[in-house]
Amino acid sequence: MLWQLLCHWAVFIMLLKELSSLASPLSEPQVDKLKQLTSELNTVQLAWVSGYLAASANATVTPSVTEPGTEQTITILYGSQTGNGRGIAESFAEKAQAQGYATNLVSMSDYKARQLKQETIAIFVVSTHGEGEAPDDAMELHQFLASKRAPKLDSLQYSVLALGDSSYEFFCQTGKDFEERLSALGAQPLHELVECDVDYEASAEQWQQDVLQAVEPLIKASNATVVPISSASATNAQAFSKQKPLHAELLVSQKITGRDSDRDVRHVEIDLGESGLTYQAGDALGVWFENSAALVAEVIEKLGLSSSENVTVAKESYELAQALIEKKELTQIYPGLVEAWAELSENDVLRSLVADKEQTRQFVLENQLADLIEQYPPAKSITAQSLVDLLRPITPRLYSIASSQDEVDTEVHLTVALVEDTEKPTHRFGGASHYLANAEEGQAVKVYVEPNKHFRLPENPDTPVIMIGPGTGVAPFRAFLQQRAADGAAGKNWLFFGNPHFEQDFLYQTELQQFLKSGELTRLDVAFSRDQAEKVYVQHKLKQQGQAVWQWLESGAHLYVCGDAQRMAKDVHQALIEVIEEFGGLEHEQAVAYLESLRSSQRYQKDVY
């Protein structure tokens, strides 16, 4: 028996040495973890582990899909900012495996771009972030394909599913970029590019079916061994997800801004109970919400409809009021709805507005369904069913988690700013933030964890970190500080925080001061923009402390930014470039390259929205 274990061990070690160079089913981080584990074990322990793994592999209910050397693998690459793309890619992999196809499912961030020229079938699922930008985990592959280093891909057959939001100007731009470059490099499409809006489920499902149908003759032509497996054993699904959220108990929704503050920010605590749901500092919590009953009543009354009339949503029957409360977006509208409403209202002003894409986008950002109805009442009657058919389904909102599970155990904390517009005749509120602000203690809320591996503390606890998080952007840094304290990390921590007023808007002031006192927080620089004649923001504080910031970066510090993507993150990025130019003595292009090198090495990470 011992001789067999030692033989297993010898083979295991030999294979481990080859993992980095082979087209391994393990991602690079998984290989690194495996190497780290084995380096800590002695000979007897290694032999036992290798025997255990061999026995586990032989006992699994999932059969081998193909024999070595005859495998025709479908490589499925995903680039996902909020998890939707990853979910679709996982679903596609599960369906492909259920048909007996060998698959290689991998995040674009873990994929070696140069390996693409060796692929024969590749599926790309990618979202668009910000103003037409690639999501973090797709950025390097996106840049590689656009560069002169990209190889000819004459042997590749591919399909691209693009995710986006038509409310933004550069709808599905990253997916379009992938499609254009793959085609230019000689790859052949299995299926035409599919562009998905926020309500992507039906389009994504049809795309999966169509692509699998297109793949079938290629697999058969390759003479690969095909062994169908049950979908139950194809993947090891998480107990809770976007599709299967946890019904958790809300413990606290407490206002943490002052009485005279012009903003309402809530500290929210949710009990995960005995669910076993876990998270890491840097992750986000997805929250499914319900629309305000008062808002629903206003919409129904304005349109002269009956709240009890039956409608069908996703093949299920609901009363209209219930459908609008639980199933349909009312606080976020989209260009297609405004265009349809222009015809319903027969209003020339609205028709003129929708003819201008920029005006339409601005209108969408500033108005809700109730505003659209109030400003442009329909000239034609609209039925309850027609109304729900026009509306997008409710989508959960993601909030940066503001706690470390090592500190709060079975709880999860959020920092939520109530979205409100008091300028309109009727006050308008954001859907999820209003729901959480008004939730009662003990109320059940549907939640799930959305991992964010691109916003993680450094593995080495001695590494210094610089955190820039004005407003509710401080949330993940509260989690970071709790985690560093729980870990006993020796690395220095520097936080830049900003908000309008010191007395009204200093979020978590007592906790941050306690972190300073205990030494977990090394430095705290604050910018309260309205407390003096000249506005001061976090980017100004960064430049004021430029010499020290540069020294921290040169000593290996990791840099984190969380908060508003449109203004703050851009201003901070520019301030960092100027700091690097001035104190690093670099030209502009060199400073830009320096910051890009930090991003590529995961020393510059952003969680922006």
Side-chain angles (χ1 to χ4, degrees), residues 494-497 506 512-513 516 521-526:
W494 187 355
L495 174 65
F496 287 86
F497 172 75
F506 197 162
L512 294 177
Q513 290 175 335
L516 273 173
L521 184 56
T522 311
R523 293 188 61 165
L524 174 63
D525 280 75
V526 293

Side-chain angles (χ1 to χ4, degrees), residues 10 30 47 58 143 154 185 202 223 257 270 324 329 427 460-461 509 591:
Q30 288 173 322
N58 290 333
Q143 291 174 348
D154 297 334
L185 294 168
N223 295 318
T257 42
I270 296 170
L324 295 183
E329 282 279 9
H427 289 188
N460 184 346
Q509 178 183 359

Side-chain angles (χ1 to χ4, degrees), residues 265-478:
V265 176
R266 300 296 177 111
H267 173 73
V268 176
E269 298 182 1
I270 296 170
D271 184 15
L272 303 176
E274 298 180 0
S275 66
L277 189 61
T278 61
Y279 60 88
Q280 295 185 51
D283 288 343
L285 191 75
V287 179
W288 286 95
F289 66 95
E290 294 182 354
N291 287 307
S292 157
L295 178 61
V296 168
E298 180 187 348
V299 167
I300 291 174
E301 181 182 356
K302 278 179 166 35
L303 293 175
L305 299 172
S306 168
S307 61
S308 59
E309 185 174 349
N310 285 335
V311 295
T312 300
V313 179
K315 299 181 181 180
E316 297 287 336
S317 181
Y318 302 89
E319 290 189 350
L320 177 60
Q322 181 189 8
L324 295 183
I325 287 174
E326 299 177 3
K327 300 296 179 180
K328 292 295 180 175
E329 282 279 9
L330 302 183
T331 58
Q332 292 186 355
I333 57 177
Y334 65 101
L337 172 60
V338 181
E339 292 171 14
W341 209 264
E343 295 309 309
L344 277 170
S345 68
E346 298 182 353
N347 187 290
D348 290 338
V349 174
L350 189 56
R351 284 171 171 163
S352 175
L353 184 146
V354 298
D356 186 314
K357 289 186 177 181
E358 182 52 41
Q359 285 190 48
T360 304
R361 280 190 290 271
Q362 198 60 37
F363 184 87
V364 162
L365 292 173
E366 296 174 353
N367 293 277
Q368 300 183 3
L369 174 64
D371 302 318
L372 184 61
I373 297 170
E374 184 172 350
Q375 295 177 49
Y376 306 102
K380 305 172 184 176
S381 61
I382 182 171
T383 66
Q385 188 63 53
S386 297
L387 174 64
V388 297
D389 288 345
L390 275 175
L391 301 176
R392 285 173 166 174
I394 281 180
T395 53
R397 305 296 193 256
L398 293 177
Y399 292 97
S400 301
I401 291 176
S403 56
S404 159
Q405 204 157 20
D406 285 337
E407 172 70 20
V408 301
D409 195 18
T410 61
E411 295 179 9
V412 59
H413 298 176
L414 306 176
T415 311
V416 179
L418 177 64
V419 177
E420 57 183 326
D421 183 352
T422 59
E423 299 298 319
K424 297 185 184 301
T426 303
H427 289 188
R428 299 296 179 212
F429 299 95
S433 63
H434 188 252
Y435 173 74
L436 289 171
N438 288 276
E440 297 180 357
E441 181 179 329
Q443 180 175 323
V445 292
K446 295 186 292 184
V447 301
Y448 62 97
V449 171
E450 186 58 55
N452 185 359
K453 66 176 183 178
H454 298 289
F455 204 74
R456 288 278 188 262
L457 280 166
E459 292 185 8
N460 184 346
D462 295 333
T463 303
V465 299
I466 301 173
M467 303 166 284
I468 305 163
T472 56
V474 75
F477 302 135
R478 179 177 185 262

Side-chain angles (χ1 to χ4, degrees), residues 94-101 209 212-213 216 226-229:
E94 181 177 350
K95 290 181 174 68
Q97 290 170 12
Q99 293 188 27
Y101 303 155
Q209 295 176 16
L212 285 172
Q213 186 175 357
E216 183 178 6
V226 176
V227 182
I229 59 178

Side-chain angles (χ1 to χ4, degrees), residues 524-584:
L524 174 63
D525 280 75
V526 293
F528 294 103
S529 58
R530 306 302 197 275
D531 280 351
Q532 58 282 314
E534 184 177 352
K535 293 178 181 177
V536 177
Y537 297 108
V538 287
Q539 61 266 26
H540 299 133
K541 290 291 184 178
L542 271 173
K543 293 176 70 174
Q544 287 176 13
Q545 302 297 334
Q547 179 70 59
V549 169
W550 171 251
Q551 290 173 350
W552 277 50
L553 291 177
E554 283 294 273
S555 68
H558 284 217
L559 184 63
Y560 300 89
V561 180
C562 182
D564 171 53
Q566 296 301 314
R567 294 179 297 276
M568 183 277 298
K570 292 179 180 178
D571 291 340
V572 164
H573 187 85
Q574 180 58 37
L576 288 168
I577 290 175
E578 292 175 12
V579 164
I580 294 166
E581 287 178 6
E582 180 177 356
F583 297 100

